Amino acid sequence: MHNSSRRGFMGKAFGAVAGVGAVGSLVAMKKTWDPLPSVKAAGFTTLDMSIYKENQLVTEKWRGKPIFVLKKTAAMVASQTDEQKERDIVVDGSHFMLAIGLCTHLGCIPAYKGEAEGFLCACHGGKFDWAGVVTQVPPPRGFDIPPFKIDGNKVILGEVGPEYKQMKETGITL
Amino acid sequence: MAHFTKATSVKDWLNQRLAVEKIEKVMASEYWIPKNINFLWAMGMVLVITFALLVVSGIFLLMYYVPTVDEAFYSVNYTIMREVDFGWLWRHIHGVAASVVFLVIYIHMFTGIYYGSYKKGRELIWVSGMLLFVAFSAEAFSGYMLPWGQMSYWAGMVITNLFAGGSLHADGLVEWIRGDYVPAQAFLGRFFMLHVFLLPLAIMALIGLHFAALRIPHVNNQDGEEIDFDAESKKYLDGDKAGSKVMRFANDFMSKDMMVVGIFLIFFFYLVFWNYSFAMDPVNFDPADGLKTPAHIYPEWYFLWSYEILRPFNIDLGLILFGFAQVIFVLLPWLDRSPNAVPANRRGLFAIWFWVMLSNMIILTAMGKLPPEGVFSQIGLVSAVLFVVQWIALPFITAREKKV
Ligand code: HEM
Ligand code: FES
C-alpha cells in the first residue's frame, strides 16, 4: 500500500514533467512550420497604373501570386451591373479590374478569353466575367482583391487604403 | 537468473540469446496458411517487394537530388537523368513502382472486400490496411512535389488549398502547411523531409502492424470456410500433410507467393525499360512557374476517382463528399451488418453491390481524367452520387442478408 502510493506519486510526477515537455515541443514544432519573417516581410509591390492598355489583361506578381490587371473600356464601364461596379477600382479617372489571379475554388490561374467569355478556369470548369464576378461554379465567389492603396496614378499592393478597407468591410472581398 | 551453457553451434548460441528457433516457428514454419487460396493472396507479397523497390531506388535518387526550388528540377531532369550512370534506371523504377503499387493496392483491397476478409477478428487488418493506403497516398503526393515541375507546383497549390475547408476560409492553416503564401522553398523542404524520412518510417511501422494483426486470425480463404487452425496444424505435424487443410507459410506457401512475384517482376521491368512514360507526366517536364497554370490539372490516375467526387459540386459540398470518400472504406467492417464472411457471389444483393462499386470507381477514374465538359460532367455527377448512395445503402442491404 505504502509502496503503491509512492509509485502512484512517481507516476503522476513523471506524467506532469512529460506533459509540460510534450506541450512545449508541440509549440516549438508548430512555430517551426510557420512562414519565416523574411517571407512575411517581402510583401509589397508598386504598380504604375498609367501603362496599361484597355481590355488587355496583364499579370503582375505579388507575394508569389499572380495579380490580374485589366483596364476597362468605356463600353465596359457603361454597361456595369451593381455587382460589377462594387469591384471597380478607379485610379486617376481610369477604371480597373484588379484582383488576385487565382481561382477561388482551388487556386488555378484562369485564362482570359476576351470580353464576351471572360475568364475560364481549366481545372474544374469555373468561370468569371471581365469584372471578376463568378458566373459558373465550382468557385464560391468572385476573384479576391489584394490589399491595395491608391497613391496618385500608382497602386501599392500589400498596404491597406480606404477603398480596400471599405470593400473588405462590405464583404466584397475576403 | 537466466542460465547460459557453452554453445554447441552458432545456431545454439543465437538460440540462447535471441530464441531464433522460436521466432522462426511463429513467423514462418508454423505460421499456418489455408490451402484453398488463389493467386490474389500473393498481392501482399507483391506489395512488400514493390515497397522494397521504392526504397532502394529512392536511396539512389536521394544521393543526387537537391531539395531547393532553384536546383530540384535540374538535379532530377539533368543530373539524375543524363549525367549519373544508370540514374534513369532508378528514376524509372521509382516512378513506375509508385504508380503500379497503387494498382496492386486496389486489387488487394477489392480482394479483401470480395471475400469478406475484414470480418470476424480481421477488422484490425482492414483498418491497418486502410491506414497504409492513406500513408502511401501521402507518400506519393509528397514525392510528386520533388521534381518541382509544373504539375508538382500546381498539384501542390490545389491540394494544399483543400485544407482551407471551403467556406471556412482557413487560409492561415494553408499558409502554415506551406510555410509561405504559395508553394515555395519552405514547402519543398518540408515535403522532402516527409517523403524521404517520416512517411517511409510510418509506412514501415504500419506494415508491422498489418502483419501483426494478421497473425492471430490467419488469412481468410476463397470458400469462406472457418478453419480450426489448431486441429489442422496438429494433423499436419502428425504427418497427415495431404489431409490437413493448412500448410506452412515458409517455405511451402512462400514458394507459390514468389512464383507470382516473379511474374509480376517480369511485367514490372518490361514497364521500366520499354513503357515507363505513363508514370511520368509530360507537363512535369516544364519547370515550376507560379504565374502559369497548365491547361489541365489532373492528379495521377490513382487519385482520379476521389477527385471526380470533388469536381461536380460547389466547393463545400464537394469537400464534404471528398472527405466522405476518403474515410468511408475504413468503416466497411461496421457498415457491413451481415454475419456472413463468405465470397460475395454467395451473398445475394451484396454481390451486385460489389460489382457496381468496382465498375463505378473505374468510371469515376475515367471521368476524372477527361476535361470537365458536357456529357462527361453529367456522367461524373451521376457516378459520384451513385458512389455515396451505395455506401448509405450498404448497412440496409447487408442487414437483410440471410445467414448462409
Ligand atoms: C513508399 C513508397 C514511395 C512512393 C509511393 C514514392 C513516390 C514517389 C513519386 C511519385 C516521386 C516522383 C517521381 C518522379 O517524378 O520521378 C518520387 C520521387 C522521389 N522519391 Fe519517392 N516514393 C516512395 C519512397 C521513397 C523512399 C523510401 C525514398 C528515399 C529514401 C524516396 C526518394 C525520392 C526522391 C529523392 C525523389 C525525387 C527524384 C525524382 O523525382 O525522380 N522515395 N517518389
Ligand atoms: S480551381 Fe478553378 S474551378 Fe477548381
Side-chain angles (χ1 to χ4, degrees):
Chain A
M1 184 61 222
H2 187 62
N3 249 346
S4 74
S5 71
R6 250 179 37 189
R7 273 188 204 132
F9 170 74
M10 288 198 283
K12 285 187 195 110
F14 172 71
V17 173
V20 171
V23 171
S25 36
L26 280 180
V27 170
M29 289 176 193
K30 190 266 167 194
K31 294 265 179 192
T32 302
W33 272 49
D34 277 347
L36 301 178
S38 57
V39 165
K40 284 188 173 161
F44 303 95
T45 304
T46 304
L47 304 178
D48 177 354
M49 303 305 279
S50 61
I51 60 169
Y52 299 104
K53 298 203 180 64
E54 282 185 357
N55 198 21
Q56 255 186 36
L57 183 78
V58 178
T59 308
E60 304 283 358
K61 194 171 171 181
W62 169 73
R63 292 189 181 168
K65 295 179 185 176
I67 300 294
F68 286 161
V69 186
L70 183 75
K71 186 168 174 177
K72 297 176 184 171
T73 61
M76 281 176 176
V77 176
S79 72
Q80 286 193 121
T81 62
D82 284 346
E83 213 185 352
Q84 293 173 325
K85 215 177 276 169
E86 288 173 342
R87 317 173 57 90
D88 205 27
I89 293 173
V90 187
V91 183
D92 216 16
S94 308
H95 295 248
F96 291 93
M97 190 277 291
L98 177 77
I100 298 179
L102 295 174
C103 181
T104 50
H105 183 224
L106 291 173
C108 295
I109 303 179
Y112 187 52
K113 302 279 185 189
E115 188 173 342
E117 282 176 88
F119 293 87
L120 173 70
C121 182
C123 287
H124 319 96
K127 284 183 191 154
F128 304 81
D129 65 21
W130 47 261
V133 177
V134 64
T135 53
Q136 161 96 43
V137 293
R141 59 182 187 279
F143 289 135
D144 291 330
I145 297 170
F148 67 92
K149 197 173 128 189
I150 300 172
D151 181 12
N153 63 358
K154 293 204 168 59
V155 163
I156 303 156
L157 298 178
E159 263 186 58
V160 175
E163 293 87 352
Y164 175 75
K165 211 161 164 194
Q166 203 202 338
M167 286 184 176
K168 183 115 183 150
E169 272 158 12
T170 50
I172 292 162
T173 185
L174 274 178
Chain B
M1 198 191 108
H3 185 67
F4 288 87
T5 55
K6 186 166 167 48
T8 53
S9 66
V10 175
K11 192 170 177 193
D12 181 45
W13 191 89
L14 283 171
N15 249 338
Q16 291 191 43
R17 286 156 182 81
L18 277 178
V20 282
E21 224 160 48
K22 204 163 172 183
I23 292 173
E24 194 276 332
K25 274 192 181 159
V26 172
M27 314 266 275
S29 62
E30 291 185 14
Y31 175 17
W32 302 101
I33 306 292
K35 286 180 180 168
N36 52 339
I37 62 181
N38 58 42
F39 78 98
L40 289 168
W41 269 268
M43 291 307 137
M45 189 58 79
V46 171
L47 284 169
V48 170
I49 299 294
T50 315
F51 180 62
L53 283 165
L54 283 164
V55 173
V56 172
S57 57
I59 288 171
F60 283 88
L61 291 172
L62 194 50
M63 288 187 275
Y64 288 97
Y65 175 76
V66 184
T68 65
V69 288
D70 293 331
E71 286 179 83
F73 185 82
Y74 296 97
S75 73
V76 172
N77 288 296
Y78 184 74
T79 314
I80 293 176
M81 289 303 280
R82 287 163 190 241
E83 281 200 300
V84 178
D85 252 351
F86 287 99
W88 58 269
L89 177 65
W90 307 119
R91 186 167 192 224
H92 287 183
I93 291 178
H94 206 73
V96 171
S99 189
V100 168
V101 84
F102 280 92
L103 179 64
V104 185
I105 287 177
Y106 284 132
I107 296 174
H108 193 59
M109 259 174 79
F110 274 93
T111 305
I113 301 178
Y114 186 84
Y115 291 104
S117 310
Y118 48 87
K119 303 204 217 189
K120 293 197 176 158
R122 299 199 177 89
E123 296 83 359
L124 196 54
I125 309 173
W126 179 259
V127 171
S128 59
M130 285 314 297
L131 291 176
L132 272 168
F133 178 73
V134 173
F136 266 93
S137 303
E139 180 67 3
F141 174 72
S142 58
Y144 200 64
M145 298 300 105
L146 301 185
W148 210 241
Q150 272 292 67
M151 271 294 178
S152 305
Y153 184 92
W154 288 100
M157 180 77 120
V158 170
I159 298 297
T160 46
N161 268 339
L162 291 178
F163 288 89
S167 297
L168 297 177
H169 294 301
D171 297 334
L173 177 62
V174 174
E175 279 159 22
W176 181 74
I177 292 172
R178 292 178 186 159
D180 204 329
Y181 304 105
V182 289
Q185 182 57 48
F187 175 88
L188 181 60
R190 63 192 56 176
F191 276 82
F192 173 67
M193 174 282 290
L194 289 173
H195 184 73
V196 303
F197 179 69
L198 198 53
L199 290 169
L201 193 68
I203 288 174
M204 289 179 208
L206 284 169
I207 292 176
L209 175 63
H210 198 59
F211 288 179
L214 189 57
R215 184 63 185 79
I216 295 170
H218 291 81
V219 301
N220 197 6
N221 57 74
Q222 64 181 6
D223 305 315
E225 192 180 349
E226 257 190 78
I227 294 177
D228 181 342
F229 283 91
D230 291 330
E232 295 300 327
S233 59
K234 188 160 182 306
K235 217 192 252 176
Y236 186 102
L237 290 173
D238 289 345
D240 185 10
K241 291 189 186 179
S244 172
K245 289 180 176 165
V246 298
M247 61 174 154
R248 300 177 192 276
F249 170 65
N251 297 322
D252 308 0
F253 180 67
M254 269 274 271
S255 59
K256 189 172 164 184
D257 252 1
M258 291 325 260
M259 175 73 196
V260 178
V261 168
I263 294 168
F264 166 77
L265 285 178
I266 292 173
F267 162 72
F268 177 81
F269 279 98
Y270 158 74
L271 293 178
V272 166
F273 290 118
W274 290 285
N275 244 319
Y276 49 83
S277 48
F278 74 94
M280 314 225 160
D281 196 297
V283 181
N284 222 19
F285 287 93
D286 290 325
D289 181 351
L291 296 184
K292 205 172 120 229
T293 323
H296 290 292
I297 299 189
Y298 40 79
E300 291 291 276
W301 71 268
Y302 38 85
F303 294 139
L304 287 170
W305 68 270
S306 52
Y307 182 73
E308 183 59 21
I309 289 173
L310 172 91
R311 214 162 60 161
F313 305 100
N314 77 36
I315 181 150
D316 290 319
L317 184 58
L319 273 180
I320 290 168
L321 296 182
F322 180 72
F324 175 87
Q326 299 301 311
V327 299
I328 199 67
F329 276 93
V330 183
L331 300 180
L332 180 58
W334 296 278
L335 292 175
D336 182 344
R337 314 294 310 161
S338 136
N340 302 320
V342 299
N345 65 355
R346 285 164 43 200
R347 292 183 54 193
L349 278 179
F350 182 78
I352 300 172
W353 186 93
F354 174 86
W355 290 110
V356 173
M357 177 59 69
L358 180 58
S359 330
N360 194 31
M361 283 178 69
I362 294 172
I363 294 173
L364 283 168
T365 301
M367 292 306 128
K369 182 87 195 187
L370 296 164
E373 287 154 14
V375 65
F376 303 138
S377 309
Q378 268 129 40
I379 297 173
L381 178 65
V382 172
S383 287
V385 172
L386 178 61
F387 178 88
V388 176
V389 169
Q390 268 204 292
W391 279 103
I392 295 172
L394 182 62
F396 302 102
I397 291 177
T398 49
R400 294 179 48 196
E401 208 174 297
K402 304 247 160 25
K403 179 121 184 78
V404 294

